[in-house]
């Protein structure tokens, strides 16, 4: 049973042990990811947060649909936008890490607690790292559009079907797919390395953004195969969740967010 909320409860977000060097990193296996995902699913079942995601996702989908109705020039950016969301996912899930942290400590867990991160002493470091991810995301969009224009051209698509046909049935289209996926993979590897555990660590410990990033990179270098598998799980889940009009993201994103907290706890040995 969670504890009754107290003054200590509301202030607990500020109670973080200080760390001044990279902590010990545990070796994990791909099978450990199953346990991590199970714990994430348990957190989601305990406090379903899909309604919060609906409030965010559907206005975005509506705006995208309205923009498509106004013209097809945005079509080349639809896929980069969807896949690029994984680049800012670690930041978007910051409130979910806090919910999992509170549940782990036996504290009261309510939707409002997802916003407790705004009162965290680490909010400056979290914001700085978030800005970095947003910059990487924007660079990815510009890069993806440049690759499209270099392979397909600058002519605006005349329809959705014509756009799909041009991409899937022409040599230029397949060049776009191969080059775009290759470059996108590079962006994904960079973001995975710098952020896989950095945001949870900033919430949990009194640590600088630089040290959190260094720890995240060391986690990836120490566990390359499990972290590669985790990246595939995240990318695949986000893609599948996006297919049915993004509705699946309302479940996929919270489960992945909660699971990321437990991945941090599993791999970073910081007392």
């Amino acid at each position: 049973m969670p504890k009754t909320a107290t003054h200590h409860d509301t202030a607990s977000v500020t109670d973080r042990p200080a760390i001044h060097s990279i902590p010990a990193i545990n070796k994990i296996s791909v099978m450990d990811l199953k346990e991590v995902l199970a714990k994430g699913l348990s957190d989601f079942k305990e406090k379903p947060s899909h309604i919060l995601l609906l409030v965010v996702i559907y206005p975005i989908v509506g705006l995208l649909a309205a923009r498509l109705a106004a013209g097809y020039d945005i079509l080349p950016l639809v896929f980069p936008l969807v896949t690029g969301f994984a680049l800012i996912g670690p930041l978007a899930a910051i409130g979910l890490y806090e919910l999992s942290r509170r549940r782990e400590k036996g504290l009261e867990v309510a939707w409002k607690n997802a916003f407790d991160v705004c009162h965290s002493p680490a909010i400056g470091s979290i914001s700085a790292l978030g800005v970095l991810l947003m910059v990487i995301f924007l660079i990815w969009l510009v890069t993806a559009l440049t690759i499209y224009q270099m392979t397909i051209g600058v002519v605006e698509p005349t329809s959705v079907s014509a756009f799909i046909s041009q991409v899937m049935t022409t040599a230029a289209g397949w060049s776009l797919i191969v080059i775009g996926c290759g470059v996108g993979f590079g962006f994904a590897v960079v973001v995975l390395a710098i952020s896989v555990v950095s945001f949870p660590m900033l919430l949990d410990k009194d640590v600088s953004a630089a040290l959190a990033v260094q720890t995240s990179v060391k986690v990836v270098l120490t566990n390359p195969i499990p972290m590669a598998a985790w990246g595939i799980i995240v990318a695949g889940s986000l893609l599948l969740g996006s297919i049915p009009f993004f509705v699946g993201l309302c479940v996929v994103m919270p489960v992945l967010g909660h699971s990321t907290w437990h991945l941090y706890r599993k791999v970073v040995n910081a007392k």
Side-chain angles (χ1 to χ4, degrees):
M1 292 290 292
K3 297 176 182 177
T4 302
T6 64
H7 173 72
H8 175 73
D9 176 13
T10 56
S12 63
V13 71
T14 65
D15 300 333
R16 305 178 305 145
I19 294 181
H20 304 292
S21 60
I22 298 176
I25 305 299
N26 298 324
K27 289 280 292 184
I28 65 172
S29 68
V30 173
M31 292 306 298
D32 287 322
L33 300 181
K34 183 178 180 180
E35 176 188 346
V36 164
L37 289 167
K39 289 182 177 180
L41 182 59
S42 176
D43 285 351
F44 175 70
K45 289 180 178 178
E46 176 70 20
K47 183 57 65 175
S49 47
H50 57 282
I51 295 177
L52 295 176
L53 271 297
L54 282 170
V55 172
V56 175
I57 290 173
Y58 274 90
I60 294 176
V61 174
L63 289 172
L64 183 59
R67 183 62 184 82
L68 281 172
Y72 295 110
D73 57 311
I74 196 176
L75 275 175
L77 284 176
V78 171
F79 184 75
L81 280 168
V82 172
T83 56
F85 189 76
L87 302 179
I88 56 174
L91 173 63
I94 191 74
L96 300 171
Y97 308 150
E98 175 62 14
L99 295 182
S100 289
R101 187 189 72 86
R102 293 178 64 86
R103 187 183 181 213
E104 182 181 274
K105 290 182 175 293
L107 301 173
E108 180 187 39
V109 179
W111 288 347
K112 64 180 181 179
N113 296 127
F115 299 98
D116 286 353
V117 295
C118 297
H119 307 293
S120 170
I123 189 62
S125 296
I126 291 171
S127 299
L129 193 52
V131 168
L132 175 60
L133 293 191
M134 288 299 301
V135 170
I136 293 174
F137 174 69
L138 292 176
I139 293 174
W140 157 242
L141 291 183
V142 172
T143 302
L145 184 59
T146 301
I147 293 172
Y148 176 84
Q149 292 174 344
M150 291 176 61
T151 53
I152 301 295
V154 296
V155 180
E156 179 181 332
T158 57
S159 67
V160 175
S161 59
F163 172 76
I164 295 175
S165 176
Q166 188 174 34
V167 171
M168 300 301 297
T169 64
T170 66
W174 279 103
S175 295
L176 169 67
I177 293 172
V178 172
I179 298 173
C181 288
V183 174
F185 176 77
F187 275 87
V189 169
V190 170
V191 170
L192 177 70
I194 67 175
S195 68
V196 66
V197 300
S198 53
F199 284 102
M201 188 174 183
L202 286 170
L203 279 180
D204 190 42
K205 306 297 180 186
D206 182 3
V207 61
S208 67
L211 187 56
V213 169
Q214 290 171 25
T215 301
S216 188
V217 171
K218 186 174 180 180
V219 164
V220 174
L221 294 177
T222 304
N223 299 280
I225 295 178
M227 290 302 105
W230 179 249
I232 293 172
I233 289 171
V234 170
S237 299
L238 290 175
L239 181 59
L240 290 175
S242 301
I243 292 174
F245 300 101
F246 300 90
V247 67
L249 292 179
C250 298
V251 174
V252 169
M253 283 185 59
V255 172
L256 289 176
H258 291 305
S259 299
T260 299
W261 170 263
H262 295 290
L263 177 63
Y264 157 71
R265 297 292 286 164
K266 186 80 174 177
V267 76
V268 178
N269 187 14
K271 303 298 184 183

